[in-house]
Amino acid sequence: MPQTIHQDSVHTPPVSPTVNNRPKIVFVGSAISFSERTLAVYRAEFTDYDFFRIATLAELSVMRSVHNDVQLVIFEADMMQSALDDTQRFVDAVGAARTIFSMSDPQDAARFLLARERHSGLDNVGFLPLNGPMDVWISIMYLFLCGQSFMPHEIADALINHCAQAAREDGLQPGLTTREWEVLHMVAQGAANKNIAADLDLSIHTVKLHIHNLLRKIGVSNRTCAASWFMEHHSGQPDPHRGAHGGS
């Protein structure tokens, strides 16, 4: 049976530090969001990990004060707003563990991704959709445990629709240069500035300048919206992989 930590145990260690040294995966939320059956299935599949369900950030802080081997923390969807409202407390409670949110409404997840750009420490967040079969959940969990990311297509669609609507409302005529389209294409692929610089034979400073200019031209404030804008508008634009890269 999965171990459940109740609210009245906040001031006591959730488990004895001498139990084992296996990495731990912690679900934070109610039994409605994360049932005993769900945890039992995960425990049977991932036998090298310990699974726990707790109720609050306070309990998570206590658990991490005893154990430094919490690898993943999976929050119920309602806690996305809490992460935005008190980001530092949230980040402190999670520590070095990977943050995952369960997802039932892709619009909520899209709004969180757009809002997190204004909050430091929420950049390495994943989503676990609740509307799929258990074997899909297990496959996604394997990705997370391997350090990979997963973006449900429903969230991507919601982001594209949001940013495309903002673009239409602003009547954008971006006038991007060929080089800016190339940089934007790599931003949409999730490339970091140093990778963009290496691929296009540019300095990191020049890449940052291109990103600053293209964000202003397309009327968005962050890379997430820029990536969504690209997915909506790139058809017919210069091929980013046309061959040699020249100029800046």
Side-chain angles (χ1 to χ4, degrees):
M1 292 289 290
Q3 302 185 38
T4 302
I5 302 165
H6 299 286
Q7 180 66 29
D8 57 7
S9 66
V10 167
H11 298 293
T12 58
V15 287
S16 168
T18 62
V19 171
N20 59 62
N21 294 318
R22 292 187 299 189
K24 292 166 179 58
I25 298 174
V26 182
F27 290 81
V28 183
S30 69
I32 297 175
S33 297
F34 307 120
S35 68
E36 296 293 323
R37 177 180 176 275
T38 296
L39 270 69
V41 170
Y42 276 129
R43 176 167 287 179
E45 179 70 24
F46 300 94
T47 56
D48 292 333
Y49 294 84
D50 285 329
F51 287 82
F52 299 91
R53 186 182 69 240
I54 58 180
T56 66
L57 277 179
E59 292 176 75
L60 178 61
S61 295
V62 171
M63 173 175 263
R64 287 194 55 259
S65 71
V66 177
H67 303 280
N68 59 7
D69 52 0
V70 176
Q71 186 166 341
L72 292 180
V73 182
I74 303 172
F75 294 92
E76 60 185 358
D78 289 347
M79 298 194 75
M80 281 188 277
Q81 189 59 51
S82 298
L84 296 174
D85 291 342
D86 195 349
T87 302
Q88 191 57 56
R89 178 171 176 261
F90 185 89
V91 170
D92 289 345
V94 172
R98 178 79 183 277
T99 300
I100 310 295
F101 286 106
S102 63
M103 184 205 77
S104 54
D105 184 348
Q107 295 295 334
D108 287 343
R111 285 190 287 269
F112 172 84
L113 287 174
L114 294 171
R116 74 171 181 175
E117 299 286 344
R118 302 187 297 272
H119 300 265
S120 176
L122 297 177
D123 51 334
N124 190 24
V125 171
F127 293 93
L128 181 67
L130 294 179
N131 55 354
M134 181 58 71
D135 58 343
V136 173
W137 284 27
I138 289 173
S139 297
I140 296 171
M141 185 69 78
Y142 272 114
L143 286 175
F144 291 146
L145 292 174
C146 290
Q148 301 300 308
S149 297
F150 174 75
M151 172 73 76
H153 72 86
E154 296 92 346
I155 299 179
D157 290 345
L159 284 170
I160 290 171
N161 291 337
H162 175 91
C163 294
Q165 179 62 31
R168 285 191 293 268
E169 290 174 356
D170 290 342
L172 293 177
Q173 297 294 329
L176 298 182
T177 66
T178 298
R179 181 64 85 193
E180 287 167 348
W181 278 109
E182 292 173 340
V183 172
L184 179 55
H185 179 263
M186 296 194 69
V187 168
Q189 291 180 315
N193 287 350
K194 65 180 180 180
N195 301 115
I196 298 174
D199 190 73
L200 300 182
D201 194 24
L202 302 172
S203 70
I204 292 180
H205 173 76
T206 300
V207 170
K208 290 180 178 179
L209 183 61
H210 282 312
I211 292 175
H212 172 79
N213 289 337
L214 70 86
L215 290 178
R216 174 179 54 81
K217 288 182 179 181
I218 67 177
V220 301
S221 60
N222 55 65
R223 296 169 77 104
T224 302
C225 257
S228 298
W229 190 97
F230 175 83
M231 298 302 294
E232 179 75 10
H233 294 84
H234 77 283
S235 178
Q237 299 303 327
D239 182 2
H241 301 292
R242 68 191 187 284
H245 299 298
S248 61

